[in-house]
Amino acid sequence: MLSIKKVIASSLVSVFVLSAALFAGTISADSGQAELQLAQLSDGFSAETSYMASCFACHSTGAAGAPKVGPGNAEAWAPRVAKGMDVLVTNAISGFNVMPPKGLCFTCTDDDLRAIVQYMVDSSK
Ligand code: HEC
């Protein structure tokens, strides 16, 4: 009798843990969206489209030592990501050695550039 109670209790616990995890997942997805809405992205902005238009020329080929973007390039990005996203975004905005200011996307806002840098890092895993 006691062991049946234990089984019921432990399955109740796992249901609780599972729903807590799902609930937490919902919350973090929501707050991610709120963050996105607060960012000052240009109308109709797409990180991928802007990357293709402004950054792809150097970052797809690794021209002039640009860290390559795309699957399998995590190593090229690891030491840069280690500097922190804020440093990467600041360098993308101000320029960094041969990397030109704003990566030549002069219509991009700072938040647009942040989204593009995030896209570059995310797609280089
Ligand atoms: C003319 C070529 C060129 C273009 C266009 C370009 N980059 Fe770069 N980028 C570079 C080079 C070269 C480096 C490496 C600089 C170094 O480490 O000395 C670099 C480095 C970076 C870094 C890493 C900075 C760091 O602190 O390590 C980021 C982030 C970056 N580029 C973002 C962008 C974004 C975003 C765009 C487009 C909006 C862009 N780049 C367009 C050449 C370019």
Side-chain angles (χ1 to χ4, degrees):
M1 197 57 184
L2 223 156
S3 64
I4 291 175
K5 267 190 190 166
K6 263 190 191 163
V7 168
I8 292 172
S10 72
S11 56
L12 274 178
V13 165
S14 52
V15 166
F16 178 73
V17 168
L18 194 72
S19 48
L22 285 174
F23 187 63
T26 315
I27 286 182
S28 66
D30 280 354
S31 61
Q33 207 170 26
E35 241 168 60
L36 215 70
Q37 282 166 354
L38 284 177
Q40 294 292 306
L41 297 179
S42 303
D43 283 349
F45 174 82
S46 148
E48 186 177 8
T49 306
S50 299
Y51 164 76
M52 291 306 283
S54 302
C55 328
F56 177 83
C58 297
H59 283 274
S60 68
T61 60
K68 276 208 212 177
V69 169
N73 292 308
E75 257 176 55
W77 284 94
R80 299 184 188 267
V81 171
K83 295 191 273 186
M85 261 323 257
D86 286 347
V87 174
L88 290 191
V89 172
T90 303
N91 288 346
I93 293 166
S94 321
F96 184 62
N97 299 326
V98 186
M99 159 79 199
K102 287 186 156 237
L104 302 179
C105 182
F106 298 110
T107 56
C108 284
T109 65
D110 291 357
D111 284 330
D112 290 348
L113 285 162
R114 176 176 292 272
I116 302 173
V117 173
Q118 190 66 59
Y119 165 81
M120 291 164 85
V121 170
D122 287 349
S123 51
S124 303
K125 283 176 179 161

